[in-house]
Amino acid sequence: AHGMPGNESSRIRQWERDMVQTLEQLQVIKEYRTPQALRSLCRIFSVVLPPLYAPYYVQMARDLNDSLSMAIVFAVLTSLVLTALFESLTQME
């Protein structure tokens, strides 16, 4: 009797199947996942943008008869919406 035992060839076939499956998963990640640079840009955008709107919020408070609370609500909502958009992008991957 020459050749490999049946359990050894079965094990080699299992390793081959695992390797092919892993390579297919890597291909899917490469083709469909958002690149790291774009995710980093989105994160920076969602963190840096709300403070840049601060002068607009101050003007809004003045225009609304010194309604500081309304300006704060808009500032918080802007930050929450941008964070929610980023998190939904992350969850969709």
Side-chain angles (χ1 to χ4, degrees):
H2 295 279
M4 281 189 262
N7 61 353
E8 195 173 333
S9 62
S10 174
R11 186 72 172 160
I12 290 173
R13 177 69 180 125
Q14 182 182 0
W15 286 337
E16 179 193 17
R17 187 174 51 246
D18 289 344
M19 185 176 62
V20 168
Q21 186 178 19
T22 303
L23 287 173
E24 287 175 353
Q25 288 174 348
L26 288 173
Q27 183 180 10
V28 167
I29 289 172
K30 181 184 176 193
E31 289 182 13
Y32 297 108
R33 189 168 180 200
T34 306
Q36 178 64 34
L38 184 58
R39 282 196 310 270
S40 297
L41 179 67
C42 289
R43 173 56 78 188
I44 290 170
F45 182 72
S46 67
V47 170
V48 172
L49 189 64
L52 294 177
Y53 279 143
Y56 172 74
Y57 298 138
V58 170
Q59 186 62 42
M60 182 192 313
R62 288 182 180 166
D63 291 345
L64 295 173
N65 298 326
D66 293 327
S67 177
L68 181 62
S69 61
M70 189 61 111
I72 290 172
V73 166
F74 273 100
V76 169
L77 279 176
T78 301
S79 183
L80 286 175
V81 166
L82 287 173
T83 302
L85 284 172
F86 179 77
E87 290 302 322
S88 66
L89 174 106
T90 306
Q91 292 299 319
M92 286 175 51
E93 291 182 355

